[in-house]
Amino acid sequence: AEFFWYAGGVPAVMESIRGNLHLDVMTVTGKTLKENLDDIARTNFYDDRERHFEGTGLRKEDILAKPEAPIQKEGAVAILRGNLAEQGAVIKHSAAPEEMRVVTLKAVPFDNEEDAINAILHGGVHPGDAVFIRYEGPRGSGMPEMFLTTEAIASNEELSRSIALITDGRFSGASRGPCIGHVSPEAAEGGNIALVEHGDLIYIDIPGRTLAIVGVGGERKTPSEIEAILAERRSRFAYPEPKYKKGALALYTRFAVSAMKGGYMDI
């Protein structure tokens, strides 16, 4: 963050993509965005900060790549879809190790973050597992950040390169490893993430933008067989009691839409 500021910070980013911005919008300064950027360019704002690179061996371009020479051809975030996330799920694939970009893992589901953290810290999760944390979406629990779980995984060098975390909860921008969040529909809405059972085979294909159940009990199944299995599980599914029964969170979890639709209240 410090070097980002030396490189010009957000104003420098906006300047580099100004051709894609609505420059005529009014801002809180009382001037348009174009006027703000022009005012900054007329000062020593950028030069004053760039001097901090002296002696570091770095250049501004090492921190803020130019649009014509990006670090990678795609952005840092991708939307995955499949029978596990029919409305979508989010992954910051730039933080995922290369060996986890296309992988099939074994499901280990938990119905809350606390149980998942306990399993990770005490040997209940192993390389090749897909750790599920469900009922942590907008309707499940207000959609808290799965910060402690991601840190527990990231601090374990073996697990951070060999397991995935899949949740209808959310992550911060500081998450590391193959973390897939915002799975929608969420478990509290009856999404298929609620139907995942221990030992299901979970296929993650980041380049192909896919997140799907492809097997049961360690055995691969055809798409039609998976569909039938999920239908049978759904016939036995029962919605859990609401986590919050009064107060603001009770109202929110009752009326919230899915994370992929914005998590707002639809009243």
Side-chain angles (χ1 to χ4, degrees):
E2 183 178 358
F3 280 92
F4 174 66
W5 178 240
Y6 295 158
V10 173
V13 173
M14 299 180 79
E15 187 65 50
S16 72
I17 61 170
R18 67 184 289 157
N20 301 100
L21 302 178
H22 294 286
L23 297 173
D24 58 343
V25 297
M26 185 58 63
T27 70
V28 294
T29 66
K31 298 181 180 181
T32 65
L33 179 57
K34 179 182 183 302
E35 290 173 321
N36 286 341
L37 292 177
D38 289 345
D39 286 347
I40 293 173
R42 282 191 289 267
T43 70
N44 292 325
F45 178 85
Y46 297 119
D47 292 338
D48 286 346
R49 280 149 188 79
E50 202 162 345
R51 293 194 191 99
H52 291 284
F53 286 109
E54 295 176 5
T56 66
L58 294 172
R59 304 168 302 155
K60 174 182 176 179
E61 291 74 19
D62 295 324
I63 308 301
L64 291 181
K66 295 181 178 180
E68 60 270 22
I71 295 172
Q72 57 186 29
K73 66 178 182 179
E74 298 176 318
V77 176
I79 305 300
L80 310 182
R81 289 187 170 85
N83 61 18
L84 254 177
E86 293 167 314
Q87 293 178 7
V90 179
I91 181 170
K92 189 175 75 174
H93 60 84
S94 61
E98 187 64 30
E99 58 265 36
M100 296 296 290
R101 293 179 65 81
V102 179
V103 66
T104 300
L105 305 172
K106 183 184 71 175
V108 182
F110 300 93
D111 289 345
N112 58 70
E113 184 183 23
E114 292 77 12
D115 289 346
I117 295 172
N118 185 64
I120 292 166
L121 294 178
H122 296 93
V125 173
H126 308 282
D129 286 347
V131 176
F132 281 82
I133 304 179
R134 53 198 179 191
Y135 299 106
E136 299 285 15
R139 288 202 173 190
S141 63
M143 203 177 184
E145 180 185 348
M146 302 292 102
F147 175 76
L148 294 177
T149 307
T150 56
E151 285 303 298
I153 294 172
S155 63
N156 185 312
E157 187 173 346
E158 182 181 32
L159 292 183
S160 66
R161 306 191 70 84
S162 63
I163 73 170
L165 175 61
I166 304 170
T167 179
D168 48 15
R170 63 183 175 89
F171 304 120
S172 75
S175 63
R176 294 173 288 169
C179 302
I180 302 172
H182 295 224
V183 172
S184 301
E186 63 178 287
E189 282 190 286
N192 285 343
I193 187 174
L195 307 179
V196 174
E197 295 184 0
H198 196 285
D200 286 351
L201 294 181
I202 309 301
Y203 179 61
I204 301 170
D205 180 355
I206 296 174
R209 304 296 193 252
T210 300
L211 176 63
I213 305 174
V214 296
V216 174
E219 181 182 348
R220 280 188 171 270
K221 301 289 184 180
T222 66
S224 59
E225 287 175 326
I226 292 295
E227 186 177 339
I229 290 168
L230 291 177
E232 190 279 328
R233 290 180 182 178
R234 185 169 297 284
S235 69
R236 296 184 277 109
F237 175 74
Y239 286 94
E241 282 288 313
K243 185 173 182 178
Y244 303 104
K245 295 182 172 59
K246 61 181 181 179
L249 279 174
L251 289 172
Y252 176 73
T253 54
R254 179 180 177 186
F255 294 107
V257 302
S258 74
M260 293 301 291
K261 293 181 179 179
Y264 61 87
M265 292 174 65
D266 186 13
I267 299 178

